[in-house]
Amino acid sequence: MNTALTSLKFRNKPLSILMSGQGLVALANLMYGKAVALYISPIEWGKYSVLLAVMLLFHSLMVTPTIQSFKAELTSSDYRLVVNFYGRILGVIYIGVFALMAIGAIIYTQNIIWVLVWIAFVAQGLYSLSNDSLNFTGKHKTYSLLLIGYAFFNLLLFGIVVWGFGQNKAINLWQILALLNGVFAVVSVWQSIRLINGFRFDNQAFSDWFPAELLRKYQCYIWPLVSLAVWGWLINYADRYLISFYMTDADIGQYTLGYGIGSKMLLVVAPLIALLTPLIFQLKADSKPSKEVDKLLWHYLKRYILIASGLCIVFWATYNWIGLLLLSMTYKPAFVIGPIIASGYLFLTCIHILEIKWYAYGLTRFVLWHNSMGAVMNVVLNIVLIPRLGIVGAALATLLGFAGQFLIVLWLFQYDAKS
């Protein structure tokens, strides 16, 4: 068909590794959701979810753009230089920015939970950065093993803390997350260090720690993504706060657990994205024509839509049975949330596949445009539907918002192809 598709014929083994890994991750995550439904009350899960949304806001605002820039540089620069540079950038973010914010929050709220939030935040970024570097350099087996280990260790910690010791409050969930992220940050960073045969620490001048050319490219790359982070957070988490405004923490807990089941659609697309992302970035580095990348993405998008649509249909037909299997009667209002969110995530995951090209080719303005318009649609729909339909209204707002956003992405993709 073309060079890209020909290249993928020799990547069947990596794809099978990634798919097998994601299958085990999905199993562990479903077991975790079941454990939460059995042992955590909707009120405590709601409190945890709201604070988690705060952490994820700062992660998407500061860390996610840095990781995206890191992946873009991996295909065009010296690996050791890039890893050291981005490690230092994260150090500035964690120590110079978020640590001060965490200290301020502790002083203001008199709540030690912010220490756990800071640890979880820092460790999450280090884990994401290091594990992405392993995937980009072809270490698919190590990458998958870390994902599997993370998911099952999370389940193990939950069993020890919540089931074993009976500690089932929101702060206990933060203890689990901080320890989980901390352990896997250490393991993934160690694997990355092995990959580049160790870091070189020397007495360089401060300017040498942040090479001017890399710093300039980093700044140009991330500015659209920083704005994007705000819009993306509104799309994914504003509904929690609107539910809190109109309803209660218990309703947030019901909604987020049902949302969590539906969002497992991400696990279906994750192996494909993990495989395609480094390939698309490499095609860009090799100066392959944009049309070749478009054909590759459309080729796999069509097949993904067939598979994901079938899964959504099965979910709708069996959502009560799935709710009983994966949750508990305590969370019965969440049963119907799952298939609605899954249908919305069908559109979102299609967006994720198409926007790989925009990240690789530095066309982040398109990513910003569709996310800003999607955020406005999502928030407006939530404001209209939550007072009328409660948490079902929030789920429908997600479905309709993602569907509208997907139509915008299709238009932008065609516009990009013609320009």
Side-chain angles (χ1 to χ4, degrees):
M1 182 177 179
N2 54 48
T3 304
L5 290 178
T6 302
S7 299
L8 276 185
K9 290 179 181 178
F10 298 97
R11 298 172 69 88
N12 289 333
K13 185 176 180 181
L15 181 58
S16 66
I17 291 172
L18 292 167
M19 290 182 67
S20 300
Q22 288 296 336
L24 290 171
V25 169
L27 175 62
N29 287 339
L30 292 174
M31 293 169 65
Y32 178 79
K34 179 68 173 182
V36 168
L38 290 172
Y39 296 105
I40 305 295
S41 72
I43 292 176
E44 293 299 326
W45 186 250
K47 292 177 182 178
Y48 170 75
S49 299
V50 168
L51 194 53
L52 181 63
V54 174
M55 188 197 86
L56 293 175
L57 169 62
F58 288 105
H59 191 274
S60 62
L61 189 65
M62 300 177 184
V63 178
T64 301
T66 298
I67 293 175
Q68 289 291 351
S69 177
F70 165 71
K71 291 191 288 189
E73 285 300 319
L74 276 178
T75 58
S76 59
S77 304
D78 175 74
Y79 183 83
R80 180 188 292 274
L81 177 66
V82 170
V83 171
N84 276 275
F85 172 78
Y86 281 93
R88 293 160 187 160
I89 289 290
L90 286 178
V92 171
I93 292 172
Y94 292 144
I95 298 172
V97 179
F98 197 74
L100 295 176
M101 295 174 64
I103 291 170
I106 292 169
I107 294 172
Y108 179 75
T109 64
Q110 302 293 308
N111 194 336
I112 200 67
I113 199 171
W114 288 101
V115 174
L116 299 173
V117 175
W118 182 81
I119 293 171
F121 173 75
V122 172
Q124 180 69 47
L126 293 174
Y127 168 64
S128 298
L129 183 73
S130 302
N131 214 22
D132 276 354
S133 71
L134 293 168
N135 183 49
F136 259 64
T137 50
K139 304 296 182 181
H140 302 296
K141 185 175 182 180
T142 304
Y143 169 81
S144 294
L145 286 174
L146 282 171
L147 291 178
I148 295 167
Y150 184 95
F152 278 95
F153 191 57
N154 184 29
L155 191 61
L156 175 63
L157 288 176
F158 185 93
I160 293 172
V161 174
V162 178
W163 183 75
F165 291 97
Q167 303 298 306
N168 59 355
K169 302 300 182 183
I171 192 169
N172 305 124
L173 297 173
W174 278 105
Q175 291 168 346
I176 292 170
L177 185 63
L179 180 58
L180 172 71
N181 286 354
V183 168
F184 277 84
V186 171
V187 173
S188 60
V189 168
W190 172 62
Q191 289 294 329
S192 295
I193 291 174
R194 287 183 60 199
L195 185 63
I196 60 174
N197 298 316
F199 291 104
R200 290 173 183 161
F201 295 107
D202 51 38
N203 296 320
Q204 301 177 49
F206 183 80
S207 60
D208 292 330
W209 277 54
F210 299 95
E213 180 62 18
L214 274 178
L215 190 59
R216 182 191 64 80
K217 292 169 70 176
Y218 169 71
Q219 291 171 335
C220 292
Y221 192 94
I222 69 163
W223 281 123
L225 298 183
V226 171
S227 177
L228 167 65
V230 176
W231 297 112
W233 184 86
L234 287 172
I235 290 171
N236 290 291
Y237 299 104
D239 49 7
R240 275 75 162 169
Y241 289 90
L242 288 169
I243 292 172
S244 177
F245 178 77
Y246 290 111
M247 304 174 76
T248 67
D249 284 344
D251 292 303
I252 298 172
Q254 294 280 0
Y255 177 72
T256 54
L257 207 58
Y259 192 107
I261 294 177
S263 66
K264 293 299 184 289
M265 188 67 69
L266 288 172
L267 295 175
V268 179
V269 78
L272 184 58
I273 290 179
L275 184 72
L276 286 177
T277 300
L279 178 60
I280 300 300
F281 274 74
Q282 189 58 55
L283 289 174
K284 186 266 181 182
D286 294 340
S287 301
K288 296 296 182 182
S290 177
K291 289 183 178 180
E292 186 171 327
V293 174
D294 293 349
K295 289 180 181 179
L296 174 67
L297 290 175
W298 283 113
H299 175 79
Y300 282 92
L301 180 66
K302 293 173 185 176
R303 285 152 179 78
Y304 169 73
I305 289 175
L306 287 174
I307 295 171
S309 298
L311 291 174
C312 285
I313 292 171
V314 172
F315 200 170
W316 273 106
T318 61
Y319 75 87
N320 271 317
W321 180 82
I322 290 175
L324 287 171
L325 177 66
L326 301 180
L327 299 177
S328 68
M329 289 304 295
T330 303
Y331 285 86
K332 193 175 190 307
F335 288 7
V336 72
I337 302 300
I340 299 174
I341 297 298
S343 301
Y345 266 67
L346 169 61
F347 295 106
L348 179 64
T349 49
C350 290
I351 292 171
H352 289 339
I353 292 172
L354 292 176
E355 67 184 5
I356 294 173
K357 175 192 173 181
W358 293 336
Y359 281 114
Y361 283 77
L363 301 172
T364 50
R365 66 183 183 278
F366 292 136
V367 182
L368 174 60
W369 292 349
H370 80 73
N371 274 279
S372 58
M373 289 183 279
V376 172
M377 284 190 295
N378 189 282
V379 171
V380 170
L381 286 166
N382 271 286
I383 292 173
V384 171
L385 295 176
I386 289 175
R388 292 165 174 80
L389 301 173
I391 61 174
V392 174
L396 288 172
T398 297
L399 169 57
L400 295 173
F402 284 152
Q405 192 175 342
F406 178 61
L407 293 176
I408 293 169
V409 168
L410 290 178
W411 180 79
L412 288 173
F413 208 83
Q414 294 300 319
Y415 172 82
D416 176 35
K418 292 175 182 178
S419 61

